[in-house]
Amino acid sequence: MFGCHCLPNRSFYFRQKQFPICARCTGELIGILVGIISFPFVHFSILFLILLLLPLIFDGFLQLLTTYESKNVRRCITGILFGYAFSQLIIMSMVYVYLLGYNHAR
């Protein structure tokens, strides 16, 4: 459904049942929800939000290009940072486009 690989060794378990998505996607969903809820109250610079995207990107590419394999806690944390930053950037871009259109129509 989410495009997640759902590998058992890369997923969290609760009461011996595997989460329907992997640890990284679980973190991303948590980050997205926190980002949406906190947007009216907390604002960071675009540069800072872009920096929050990098740990997931680096961790993913490091696993892809080497024999290194991160643990589920690291995957979840990088997912949370990425999801938070991604949702904040998407909402910011929507607000900016709306304001640009609003100001242009005046």
Side-chain angles (χ1 to χ4, degrees):
M1 174 182 259
F2 296 103
C4 179
H5 54 68
C6 301
L7 294 174
N9 64 326
R10 293 188 177 184
S11 298
F12 290 124
Y13 286 81
F14 182 72
R15 295 186 179 171
Q16 289 79 40
K17 290 191 178 190
Q18 181 182 342
F19 276 28
I21 54 176
C22 72
R24 184 164 282 140
C25 290
T26 300
E28 286 179 28
L29 285 177
I30 292 168
I32 288 168
L33 290 173
V34 171
I36 290 170
I37 292 167
S38 68
F39 183 79
F41 312 106
V42 180
H43 298 284
F44 293 106
S45 72
I46 292 173
L47 178 61
F48 180 73
L49 293 173
I50 290 171
L51 290 175
L52 290 181
L53 299 173
L54 296 179
L56 181 140
I57 295 167
F58 288 143
D59 189 51
F61 272 109
L62 190 61
Q63 289 184 109
L64 178 68
L65 301 173
T66 68
T67 58
Y68 166 79
E69 189 167 332
S70 64
K71 305 291 183 211
N72 286 343
V73 172
R74 176 171 286 156
R75 289 185 188 112
C76 186
I77 291 169
T78 60
I80 290 170
L81 295 174
F82 188 92
Y84 180 84
F86 183 75
S87 64
Q88 290 276 310
L89 289 168
I90 292 293
I91 295 169
M92 285 172 75
S93 67
M94 291 174 13
V95 168
Y96 289 149
V97 167
Y98 172 78
L99 293 174
L100 181 67
Y102 178 79
N103 289 332
H104 183 68
R106 292 174 120 193

mmCIF file of all heavy atoms in Angstrom, residues 39 42-53 84-86 88-90 92 96:
data_model
loop_
_atom_site.group_PDB
_atom_site.id
_atom_site.type_symbol
_atom_site.label_atom_id
_atom_site.label_comp_id
_atom_site.label_asym_id
_atom_site.label_seq_id
_atom_site.Cartn_x
_atom_site.Cartn_y
_atom_site.Cartn_z
ATOM 1 N N PHE A 39 2.944 22.211 12.628
ATOM 2 C CA PHE A 39 3.207 23.299 11.678
ATOM 3 C C PHE A 39 2.661 24.659 12.133
ATOM 4 O O PHE A 39 3.362 25.660 11.994
ATOM 5 C CB PHE A 39 2.684 22.971 10.282
ATOM 6 C CG PHE A 39 3.020 24.039 9.287
ATOM 7 C CD1 PHE A 39 4.295 24.114 8.744
ATOM 8 C CD2 PHE A 39 2.090 24.994 8.918
ATOM 9 C CE1 PHE A 39 4.633 25.110 7.843
ATOM 10 C CE2 PHE A 39 2.412 26.003 8.019
ATOM 11 C CZ PHE A 39 3.690 26.050 7.481
ATOM 12 N N VAL A 42 5.334 25.690 15.160
ATOM 13 C CA VAL A 42 6.790 25.620 15.077
ATOM 14 C C VAL A 42 7.225 25.815 13.625
ATOM 15 O O VAL A 42 6.694 25.155 12.727
ATOM 16 C CB VAL A 42 7.309 24.242 15.566
ATOM 17 C CG1 VAL A 42 8.810 24.171 15.480
ATOM 18 C CG2 VAL A 42 6.834 23.964 16.979
ATOM 19 N N HIS A 43 8.178 26.721 13.420
ATOM 20 C CA HIS A 43 8.693 26.972 12.073
ATOM 21 C C HIS A 43 10.219 26.965 12.102
ATOM 22 O O HIS A 43 10.828 27.627 12.931
ATOM 23 C CB HIS A 43 8.200 28.317 11.536
ATOM 24 C CG HIS A 43 6.712 28.388 11.413
ATOM 25 N ND1 HIS A 43 6.027 27.765 10.402
ATOM 26 C CD2 HIS A 43 5.779 28.967 12.188
ATOM 27 C CE1 HIS A 43 4.732 27.976 10.544
ATOM 28 N NE2 HIS A 43 4.552 28.708 11.639
ATOM 29 N N PHE A 44 10.791 26.190 11.206
ATOM 30 C CA PHE A 44 12.231 26.140 11.045
ATOM 31 C C PHE A 44 12.591 26.671 9.673
ATOM 32 O O PHE A 44 11.751 26.725 8.774
ATOM 33 C CB PHE A 44 12.748 24.702 11.189
ATOM 34 C CG PHE A 44 12.604 24.150 12.570
ATOM 35 C CD1 PHE A 44 11.632 23.206 12.858
ATOM 36 C CD2 PHE A 44 13.436 24.574 13.593
ATOM 37 C CE1 PHE A 44 11.497 22.684 14.134
ATOM 38 C CE2 PHE A 44 13.311 24.058 14.875
ATOM 39 C CZ PHE A 44 12.335 23.114 15.141
ATOM 40 N N SER A 45 13.848 27.023 9.501
ATOM 41 C CA SER A 45 14.294 27.510 8.193
ATOM 42 C C SER A 45 14.301 26.363 7.187
ATOM 43 O O SER A 45 14.397 25.185 7.560
ATOM 44 C CB SER A 45 15.699 28.104 8.305
ATOM 45 O OG SER A 45 16.646 27.069 8.499
ATOM 46 N N ILE A 46 14.210 26.725 5.933
ATOM 47 C CA ILE A 46 14.229 25.722 4.867
ATOM 48 C C ILE A 46 15.557 24.970 4.881
ATOM 49 O O ILE A 46 15.577 23.745 4.712
ATOM 50 C CB ILE A 46 13.964 26.386 3.499
ATOM 51 C CG1 ILE A 46 12.516 26.892 3.459
ATOM 52 C CG2 ILE A 46 14.229 25.425 2.358
ATOM 53 C CD1 ILE A 46 12.161 27.710 2.245
ATOM 54 N N LEU A 47 16.635 25.670 5.117
ATOM 55 C CA LEU A 47 17.950 25.013 5.163
ATOM 56 C C LEU A 47 18.010 23.965 6.277
ATOM 57 O O LEU A 47 18.496 22.856 6.075
ATOM 58 C CB LEU A 47 19.061 26.050 5.354
ATOM 59 C CG LEU A 47 20.477 25.484 5.460
ATOM 60 C CD1 LEU A 47 20.855 24.731 4.191
ATOM 61 C CD2 LEU A 47 21.464 26.591 5.748
ATOM 62 N N PHE A 48 17.499 24.296 7.451
ATOM 63 C CA PHE A 48 17.489 23.344 8.562
ATOM 64 C C PHE A 48 16.652 22.120 8.209
ATOM 65 O O PHE A 48 17.038 20.981 8.493
ATOM 66 C CB PHE A 48 16.963 24.002 9.838
ATOM 67 C CG PHE A 48 16.924 23.084 11.019
ATOM 68 C CD1 PHE A 48 18.097 22.713 11.657
ATOM 69 C CD2 PHE A 48 15.725 22.574 11.484
ATOM 70 C CE1 PHE A 48 18.070 21.850 12.746
ATOM 71 C CE2 PHE A 48 15.692 21.710 12.566
ATOM 72 C CZ PHE A 48 16.866 21.349 13.202
ATOM 73 N N LEU A 49 15.492 22.333 7.588
ATOM 74 C CA LEU A 49 14.636 21.209 7.204
ATOM 75 C C LEU A 49 15.313 20.329 6.159
ATOM 76 O O LEU A 49 15.209 19.096 6.222
ATOM 77 C CB LEU A 49 13.288 21.725 6.693
ATOM 78 C CG LEU A 49 12.411 22.396 7.751
ATOM 79 C CD1 LEU A 49 11.191 23.030 7.118
ATOM 80 C CD2 LEU A 49 12.015 21.420 8.845
ATOM 81 N N ILE A 50 16.032 20.941 5.241
ATOM 82 C CA ILE A 50 16.776 20.151 4.249
ATOM 83 C C ILE A 50 17.851 19.319 4.945
ATOM 84 O O ILE A 50 18.071 18.151 4.587
ATOM 85 C CB ILE A 50 17.358 21.063 3.159
ATOM 86 C CG1 ILE A 50 16.219 21.615 2.296
ATOM 87 C CG2 ILE A 50 18.380 20.332 2.298
ATOM 88 C CD1 ILE A 50 16.615 22.693 1.325
ATOM 89 N N LEU A 51 18.495 19.885 5.954
ATOM 90 C CA LEU A 51 19.498 19.132 6.717
ATOM 91 C C LEU A 51 18.878 17.931 7.432
ATOM 92 O O LEU A 51 19.527 16.900 7.595
ATOM 93 C CB LEU A 51 20.211 20.039 7.713
ATOM 94 C CG LEU A 51 21.150 21.086 7.114
ATOM 95 C CD1 LEU A 51 21.689 22.001 8.209
ATOM 96 C CD2 LEU A 51 22.286 20.426 6.347
ATOM 97 N N LEU A 52 17.617 18.065 7.865
ATOM 98 C CA LEU A 52 16.941 16.947 8.521
ATOM 99 C C LEU A 52 16.645 15.799 7.554
ATOM 100 O O LEU A 52 16.442 14.660 7.985
ATOM 101 C CB LEU A 52 15.634 17.408 9.174
ATOM 102 C CG LEU A 52 15.742 18.296 10.403
ATOM 103 C CD1 LEU A 52 14.354 18.637 10.931
ATOM 104 C CD2 LEU A 52 16.573 17.644 11.487
ATOM 105 N N LEU A 53 16.609 16.084 6.266
ATOM 106 C CA LEU A 53 16.384 15.035 5.263
ATOM 107 C C LEU A 53 17.616 14.158 5.061
ATOM 108 O O LEU A 53 17.513 12.985 4.700
ATOM 109 C CB LEU A 53 16.005 15.661 3.909
ATOM 110 C CG LEU A 53 14.749 16.508 3.837
ATOM 111 C CD1 LEU A 53 14.657 17.177 2.471
ATOM 112 C CD2 LEU A 53 13.506 15.691 4.117
ATOM 113 N N TYR A 84 9.224 14.410 9.240
ATOM 114 C CA TYR A 84 8.936 15.727 9.796
ATOM 115 C C TYR A 84 9.336 16.830 8.813
ATOM 116 O O TYR A 84 8.533 17.713 8.495
ATOM 117 C CB TYR A 84 9.663 15.918 11.133
ATOM 118 C CG TYR A 84 9.403 17.264 11.740
ATOM 119 C CD1 TYR A 84 8.265 17.478 12.497
ATOM 120 C CD2 TYR A 84 10.274 18.335 11.541
ATOM 121 C CE1 TYR A 84 7.997 18.723 13.041
ATOM 122 C CE2 TYR A 84 10.013 19.573 12.081
ATOM 123 C CZ TYR A 84 8.879 19.770 12.826
ATOM 124 O OH TYR A 84 8.610 21.001 13.353
ATOM 125 N N ALA A 85 10.576 16.754 8.337
ATOM 126 C CA ALA A 85 11.069 17.789 7.422
ATOM 127 C C ALA A 85 10.275 17.794 6.123
ATOM 128 O O ALA A 85 9.918 18.855 5.612
ATOM 129 C CB ALA A 85 12.550 17.569 7.137
ATOM 130 N N PHE A 86 9.991 16.624 5.598
ATOM 131 C CA PHE A 86 9.259 16.526 4.337
ATOM 132 C C PHE A 86 7.869 17.154 4.463
ATOM 133 O O PHE A 86 7.461 17.948 3.614
ATOM 134 C CB PHE A 86 9.153 15.057 3.912
ATOM 135 C CG PHE A 86 8.492 14.855 2.595
ATOM 136 C CD1 PHE A 86 9.169 15.145 1.425
ATOM 137 C CD2 PHE A 86 7.204 14.364 2.523
ATOM 138 C CE1 PHE A 86 8.556 14.955 0.194
ATOM 139 C CE2 PHE A 86 6.583 14.173 1.301
ATOM 140 C CZ PHE A 86 7.264 14.474 0.138
ATOM 141 N N GLN A 88 6.838 19.357 6.663
ATOM 142 C CA GLN A 88 6.982 20.799 6.870
ATOM 143 C C GLN A 88 7.273 21.511 5.544
ATOM 144 O O GLN A 88 6.698 22.564 5.260
ATOM 145 C CB GLN A 88 8.101 21.090 7.872
ATOM 146 C CG GLN A 88 7.779 20.680 9.296
ATOM 147 C CD GLN A 88 6.996 21.740 10.033
ATOM 148 O OE1 GLN A 88 7.364 22.897 10.044
ATOM 149 N NE2 GLN A 88 5.903 21.339 10.647
ATOM 150 N N LEU A 89 8.168 20.942 4.736
ATOM 151 C CA LEU A 89 8.509 21.560 3.448
ATOM 152 C C LEU A 89 7.321 21.565 2.497
ATOM 153 O O LEU A 89 7.090 22.548 1.783
ATOM 154 C CB LEU A 89 9.701 20.846 2.814
ATOM 155 C CG LEU A 89 11.046 21.090 3.498
ATOM 156 C CD1 LEU A 89 12.102 20.108 2.988
ATOM 157 C CD2 LEU A 89 11.498 22.532 3.293
ATOM 158 N N ILE A 90 6.554 20.492 2.481
ATOM 159 C CA ILE A 90 5.362 20.428 1.614
ATOM 160 C C ILE A 90 4.341 21.476 2.055
ATOM 161 O O ILE A 90 3.795 22.216 1.224
ATOM 162 C CB ILE A 90 4.735 19.020 1.636
ATOM 163 C CG1 ILE A 90 5.658 18.005 0.969
ATOM 164 C CG2 ILE A 90 3.358 19.015 0.994
ATOM 165 C CD1 ILE A 90 5.855 18.209 -0.517
ATOM 166 N N MET A 92 4.896 24.201 3.835
ATOM 167 C CA MET A 92 5.447 25.530 3.574
ATOM 168 C C MET A 92 5.286 25.905 2.105
ATOM 169 O O MET A 92 4.918 27.041 1.783
ATOM 170 C CB MET A 92 6.925 25.581 3.957
ATOM 171 C CG MET A 92 7.184 25.630 5.439
ATOM 172 S SD MET A 92 8.935 25.470 5.830
ATOM 173 C CE MET A 92 9.533 27.084 5.363
ATOM 174 N N TYR A 96 3.226 29.085 0.689
ATOM 175 C CA TYR A 96 3.877 30.090 -0.159
ATOM 176 C C TYR A 96 3.169 30.240 -1.504
ATOM 177 O O TYR A 96 2.967 31.354 -1.983
ATOM 178 C CB TYR A 96 5.352 29.768 -0.374
ATOM 179 C CG TYR A 96 6.209 29.963 0.848
ATOM 180 C CD1 TYR A 96 7.329 29.165 1.056
ATOM 181 C CD2 TYR A 96 5.922 30.927 1.808
ATOM 182 C CE1 TYR A 96 8.125 29.328 2.180
ATOM 183 C CE2 TYR A 96 6.706 31.094 2.930
ATOM 184 C CZ TYR A 96 7.806 30.292 3.106
ATOM 185 O OH TYR A 96 8.588 30.464 4.219
#
